[in-house]
Amino acid sequence: MSPPRRQLGRKGAVAILALLVIAFVAASDVAHGGLRFPFGASAPTFRSTPDPAPVTAPPGTAVRVSSIPELLDALADDSISHIVVANGTYHVSPAGTIASDSLWIGGDRYARRTRPILVAAETRGGVIFDGGGGTEYAALSFEDGAHDQTWDGFVFADMRADYSGIVEVGGYVPKRPPHDITLRFITIDGTCRGQATNAGAPATEHAFYISNAAGVGPNHLLFEDISVDGSGGLASAFQFDHGDTADPNASTVTVRRLRVSGTQQAIIFWTPAVHDITFADVAIAGASRYAVRYETVGATGIVLSNVTSRGSGKQGFFSSEGSTPPGLKLENVDLQ
């Protein structure tokens, strides 16, 4: 029997609560990075990439905004180098509608910037971009010359993607390539929806959709500390699709410390000849079909390092090119 509450000091209460939590987790499953691994499966240990460095705003003016129009205006102002978005929930319209609250980041308004800019949530996870249950999203699109931007600490919720991604880099109509884009501590909530509600459903909606652009394609993209809950029917966390010789897909892409649960597939390489793409320190849980699918032909410099998956519905890795397809290097990979 527990001692009477009046005899239990604050430290004692905290200790007992901690023991109860530890016992519960040990008895049910292993938690890691917001994902749950089935009883008996080991949570992956990642050591290949360093902990994220603190974000330092580039020199220039800092502003605080509390609406999407204010955010867009500040982003277009080349004198501003640091935007703090006040904590709260903000409705966003689909990026492609280019409404007053659409996060369509492209065109001369943003391409003409000459200084880097940091767009940060007031506290990480404290800013939610909410679709209000709407359809036909991407919610945040980097298009047509957007460059040298870092976005840090945002959550995307309650929207349905439409043959694209909740976050998109590049576009179906090739324009100037977006480049030097960094996304850090971004969460795709389980209320973000798509068609891939089972292993055989169409793989058409994704968390991050990397597409093509004119000339060299999107390039120098960095994604760090990303969390994706695909339980709403997202086909993957990252999809690379569309592109040809004139308008290629992305290159020089790094994704590290990615956590994915409940997608149909977690990582899909689809378009031909992508190159210089690294995924490092990735934990995948409960993909209904494959954890990683590799169908790119002519790819070079594709690296999967310290990637672990558990509970895949069919198999951890699949490629029609075989178990060791050209252009792919596997380092310390355990895909189940």
Side-chain angles (χ1 to χ4, degrees):
M1 179 180 294
S2 300
R5 172 172 280 184
R6 67 177 183 273
Q7 295 180 11
L8 187 61
R10 182 179 180 183
K11 290 184 178 179
V14 170
I16 288 175
L17 178 60
L19 289 172
L20 289 172
V21 170
I22 291 169
F24 175 78
V25 171
S28 57
D29 54 10
V30 179
H32 185 84
L35 303 182
R36 293 287 178 181
F37 288 82
F39 179 81
S42 298
T45 300
F46 299 132
R47 296 193 177 95
S48 68
T49 62
D51 290 337
V55 174
T56 302
T61 302
V63 298
R64 186 175 187 271
V65 300
S66 56
S67 73
I68 300 300
E70 285 181 324
L71 166 58
L72 296 173
D73 286 344
L75 192 61
D77 187 339
D78 195 39
S79 70
I80 294 173
S81 64
H82 185 190
I83 301 171
V84 176
V85 183
N87 285 347
T89 298
Y90 297 82
H91 180 269
V92 292
S93 294
T97 64
I98 317 182
S100 61
D101 63 349
S102 293
L103 295 174
W104 176 273
I105 314 302
D108 286 342
R109 192 177 190 212
Y110 308 108
R112 68 189 177 193
R113 290 189 59 91
T114 62
R115 70 171 72 236
I117 189 165
L118 167 64
V119 183
E122 184 175 15
T123 58
R124 285 175 175 158
V127 173
I128 300 172
F129 294 136
D130 188 282
T135 61
E136 300 185 357
Y137 278 83
L140 172 61
S141 291
F142 297 97
E143 311 277 350
D144 193 16
H147 67 93
D148 291 285
Q149 297 188 21
T150 297
W151 290 59
D152 187 292
F154 299 100
V155 177
F156 293 84
D158 201 12
M159 61 188 69
R160 190 186 190 284
D162 182 38
Y163 288 84
S164 184
I166 301 300
V167 177
E168 183 177 75
V169 182
Y172 294 106
V173 179
K175 296 182 180 181
R176 290 170 290 183
H179 63 90
D180 294 280
I181 304 295
T182 296
L183 298 177
R184 308 176 84 225
F185 292 96
I186 303 297
T187 297
I188 306 299
D189 187 76
T191 56
C192 293
R193 304 180 306 283
Q195 296 185 73
T197 53
N198 58 68
T204 49
E205 288 79 40
H206 311 271
F208 293 83
Y209 189 95
I210 314 300
S211 191
N212 58 342
V216 297
N219 62 89
H220 294 87
L221 311 178
L222 174 62
F223 304 87
E224 292 187 312
D225 301 283
I226 305 294
S227 297
V228 175
D229 179 349
S231 59
L234 295 180
S236 76
F238 279 84
Q239 155 82 315
F240 295 82
D241 195 13
H242 287 81
D244 53 31
T245 302
D247 306 308
N249 203 278
S251 63
T252 317
V253 180
T254 299
V255 181
R256 54 192 176 213
R257 297 183 300 274
L258 167 66
R259 306 290 179 264
V260 186
S261 65
T263 52
Q264 184 195 68
Q265 300 162 82
I267 302 168
I268 304 175
F269 295 97
W270 197 260
T271 198
V274 293
H275 63 93
D276 298 307
I277 298 172
T278 296
F279 281 81
D281 290 353
V282 178
I284 302 165
S288 65
R289 193 170 186 182
Y290 311 120
V292 177
R293 186 166 187 181
Y294 185 91
E295 300 297 347
T296 179
V297 176
T300 57
I302 311 303
V303 178
L304 301 181
S305 176
N306 293 308
V307 179
T308 299
S309 69
R310 296 288 182 270
S312 300
K314 290 194 173 181
Q315 58 196 75
F317 177 85
F318 176 81
S319 173
S320 60
E321 301 174 72
S323 59
T324 56
L328 176 62
K329 183 179 181 180
L330 302 176
E331 301 173 340
N332 192 27
V333 170
D334 183 12
L335 301 176
Q336 301 177 25

